[in-house]
Amino acid sequence: MTDASLDPDLRDRISALLDDAGIVAERGLITRMLQTSLLLGIEDMDRLDLKIASAALREMHQAFRLFRPFETVPKVTVFGSARTQHDDPLYLHARDVAAALSAEGWMVVTGAGPGIMQAAAEGAGSKMSLGVSIRLPFEERANATVSEEAQVVAMKYFFTRKLMLVKESRGFICLPGGFGTMDEMFELLTLQQTGKAEPTPIVLLDSPGGSFWQGLKTYVDDHLVPAGVISPGDMDRVLITDSVSDAVANITGFWHNYDSLRWVGDRLVLRLVHPPTDAEVADLNDRFGDLCEHGRIERIEALEVERADDDVIELPRLALHLEQRRVGSLFRLIRAINDLPSAG
């Protein structure tokens, strides 16, 4: 099936509407959204389909507005059970890890509910907390900490909520939970494994001496790996720990030297904080050269398209032609970059 298109007269009228609204930036994308909305009506879509599309777009708009003032602040999302009680060691752990990250300048994003979500919001404090709640018949209100400063948005659909719990964050901490927590944790791993999300640190944090996540690791090693449905190293990308300090170090340490990445054509550009030496680049090639589809890992200056976008052009860079099937292994190269002697 090919994409439907609008009558040229309607396209001209959309363009005139954008002129009247004073919209200049990203007109192509806004035009596409308006055209799609009109096509939903022209093609006489089912009412439920229209309600889903309308609610999703409205909710995303509200969430984007909530997060926008904090776009330069690093964020960590904390997942965990809504049923965890206040006197549970997990509750205290969630509160402590959020407090520690908040003290280092990180905002904490939660699902704005009770249990672990409440604990993390308490630890971070109202000014350093953002909440993305779900409207459920038995969980109708956001917890007091995030609602205090109105830094919360409510969602009807889980898929829009999960998008916002993941989209803005540069790290993730999962504490033990039920179906919802496991769904969120496995989606994180899937996004990383398939390269649909940029590499980010993921911590599976247990209570002191707990075995919840080790039980999951045992299941992965005993069943998923032998069945060939995942690769042996797929769980290496996560840290399983019962230590708050180790969890915090893993989240912040991931960004010690690695800053960001960008695809330019079929070339992957990694932006660093500190320039690597020739010897370090040679060592990275010895250890990770097999990630390259062809060529080598090279130190480069900002590329023309990056300069045109003023995209952190002051930072040193490494570039490689990454074999697409190996995108899930990129986190190993990033860890090595963070451990370079030149990074301090």
Side-chain angles (χ1 to χ4, degrees), residues 108-325:
V108 174
V109 182
T110 73
I116 294 299
M117 294 171 279
Q118 172 77 29
E122 286 178 3
S126 59
K127 294 185 183 301
M128 295 296 283
S129 296
L130 291 170
V132 187
S133 67
I134 187 75
R135 291 194 290 271
L136 296 174
F138 48 87
E139 285 178 26
E140 296 181 357
R141 296 183 180 178
N143 66 59
T145 304
V146 292
S147 60
E148 237 174 68
E149 300 290 327
Q151 291 184 169
V152 62
V153 62
M155 302 290 203
K156 179 179 181 179
Y157 296 115
F158 274 106
F159 75 89
T160 49
R161 183 197 194 208
K162 286 165 65 178
L163 170 66
M164 294 310 304
L165 287 172
V166 171
K167 173 181 176 292
E168 300 285 335
S169 290
R170 303 184 73 186
F172 301 90
I173 299 177
C174 304
L175 288 97
F179 291 154
T181 301
M182 300 301 284
D183 174 52
E184 290 154 346
M185 185 272 299
F186 276 119
E187 179 161 343
L188 287 176
L189 294 181
T190 300
L191 292 171
Q192 294 291 305
Q193 180 195 55
T194 57
K196 294 296 287 184
E198 292 188 9
T200 47
I202 300 171
V203 177
L204 307 184
L205 179 62
D206 214 327
S207 58
S211 60
F212 185 94
W213 294 119
Q214 285 297 337
L216 172 67
K217 180 66 163 57
T218 298
Y219 177 80
V220 168
D221 292 340
D222 291 352
H223 297 279
L224 301 187
V225 173
V229 294
I230 68 169
S231 299
D234 279 347
M235 281 293 286
D236 291 348
R237 73 186 73 249
V238 306
L239 171 68
I240 298 176
T241 183
D242 63 358
S243 165
V244 166
S245 60
D246 287 352
V248 171
N250 187 265
I251 297 293
T252 58
F254 189 86
W255 306 98
H256 170 63
N257 191 29
Y258 168 71
D259 177 83
S260 56
L261 62 78
R262 177 170 178 173
W263 286 95
V264 179
D266 64 349
R267 201 177 193 188
L268 178 63
V269 180
L270 302 173
R271 283 81 74 97
L272 284 60
V273 177
H274 304 280
T277 66
D278 290 341
E280 289 172 339
V281 174
D283 178 64
L284 290 175
N285 274 289
D286 289 342
R287 297 160 60 194
F288 301 100
D290 62 320
L291 297 181
C292 299
E293 188 171 32
H294 58 83
R296 294 172 55 81
I297 301 170
E298 299 176 315
R299 189 175 53 221
I300 65 166
E301 300 294 326
L303 298 175
E304 184 177 346
V305 65
E306 294 177 295
R307 292 185 179 279
D309 294 338
D310 194 24
D311 191 1
V312 289
I313 60 175
E314 72 281 2
L315 294 181
R317 284 154 161 75
L318 293 173
L320 67 154
H321 294 276
L322 180 69
E323 184 182 344
Q324 291 291 336
R325 285 184 149 190

Side-chain angles (χ1 to χ4, degrees), residues 78 92-102 108 173 175 205 244 247-248:
V78 177
L92 304 179
H93 240 27
R95 189 180 64 192
D96 290 347
V97 76
L101 284 164
S102 174
V108 174
I173 299 177
L175 288 97
L205 179 62
V244 166
V248 171

Side-chain angles (χ1 to χ4, degrees), residues 24-82:
V24 177
E26 304 296 351
R27 280 179 65 112
L29 291 173
I30 297 170
T31 296
R32 190 183 307 169
M33 285 190 285
L34 291 173
Q35 289 177 343
T36 301
S37 296
L38 288 176
L39 287 170
L40 286 169
I42 291 170
E43 295 175 0
D44 196 25
M45 293 292 178
D46 181 81
R47 176 175 172 78
L48 178 59
D49 295 339
L50 294 174
K51 288 177 68 176
I52 292 172
S54 174
L57 187 59
R58 183 176 64 253
E59 291 179 354
M60 285 189 287
H61 173 234
Q62 293 169 347
F64 295 156
R65 289 180 64 189
L66 172 67
F67 278 81
R68 187 172 185 181
F70 312 105
E71 60 185 351
T72 61
V73 183
K75 302 171 191 67
V76 59
T77 296
V78 177
F79 295 114
S81 175

